[in-house]
Amino acid sequence: LLSVIMRLKSVYCIRGNSAISKIDADTLIEWCTISPSDRYLFAAHTCKIFDKVTRDAKDYLTLSDIAKRIFTNASDKKAVVEIFISRFMPNGWSGSLATILRDRLPLLDELSSTDNQEVKDLVKAAKSNFIKRIELEEKREDNEERNRTSSFE
């Protein structure tokens, strides 16, 4: 299965989807249990990490069910959280990066729902870094907008 996933991953990766997203969640988790120390980390790197849900006619971002299951089942939660946190920063985007990061910020709380203090501290530090990055992006975006609008005067 690993060789099939790796081949599919190299062929199919369009708009944030990967080959692994085409595998049934139960099958993926079962596969991870065969060699949990490396397969959960691979799954954390390649799974679909975010989903959008609609409530009260508004879209919200959530951690995907498979990401939650990987986090719940992995014995090395710290490593999984580190991988997920690294994936919270988009590789590319359109629109406001500050808005994207602000939408993702509350999802970090879902990764601290553990008794593992090391994981809680890691998430707390990541939230602090995200808040600083959001503030920097807001300032940068405001300056960009001010420069754009003042050039028309």
Side-chain angles (χ1 to χ4, degrees):
L1 183 59
L2 180 58
S3 63
V4 171
I5 290 171
M6 292 306 286
R7 254 183 294 135
L8 286 172
K9 185 177 184 291
S10 67
V11 173
Y12 179 81
C13 191
I14 302 168
R15 305 196 89 195
N17 292 323
S18 67
I20 208 157
S21 69
K22 298 298 179 187
I23 297 172
D24 172 69
D26 291 331
T27 302
L28 179 61
I29 296 299
E30 182 181 329
W31 176 78
C32 288
T33 62
I34 295 168
S35 180
S37 62
D38 59 336
R39 291 186 180 186
Y40 276 111
L41 301 182
F42 174 81
H45 274 291
T46 57
C47 73
K48 180 180 180 186
I49 193 165
F50 302 116
D51 276 328
K52 282 189 180 178
V53 296
T54 304
R55 272 180 279 165
D56 302 322
K58 186 171 184 209
D59 287 338
Y60 294 92
L61 202 59
T62 66
L63 282 179
S64 69
D65 289 335
I66 190 61
K68 291 175 190 175
R69 288 183 64 185
I70 290 167
F71 174 69
T72 300
N73 289 293
S75 58
D76 190 352
K77 291 188 183 344
K78 181 179 181 260
V80 169
V81 167
E82 287 172 337
I83 292 166
F84 285 167
I85 289 170
S86 74
R87 295 183 61 200
F88 271 50
M89 179 62 74
N91 292 327
W93 65 92
S94 63
S96 167
L97 178 57
T99 299
I100 292 168
L101 296 178
R102 197 177 307 104
D103 289 345
R104 293 178 178 189
L105 181 65
L107 304 182
L108 288 169
D109 291 330
E110 294 183 49
L111 299 175
S112 64
S113 61
T114 177
D115 294 333
N116 185 322
Q117 190 58 47
E118 196 174 17
V119 170
K120 287 181 179 186
D121 292 344
L122 180 64
V123 170
K124 184 178 178 182
K127 284 183 75 170
S128 176
N129 290 336
F130 257 68
I131 290 167
K132 289 175 189 171
R133 181 65 191 264
I134 291 166
E135 290 169 354
L136 287 172
E137 285 302 320
E138 287 173 335
K139 287 178 185 173
R140 185 191 62 76
E141 291 168 4
D142 287 346
N143 285 337
E144 229 176 60
E145 180 64 23
R146 214 177 355 266
N147 289 338
R148 196 173 23 254
T149 57
S150 67
S151 66
F152 289 112
E153 294 173 6

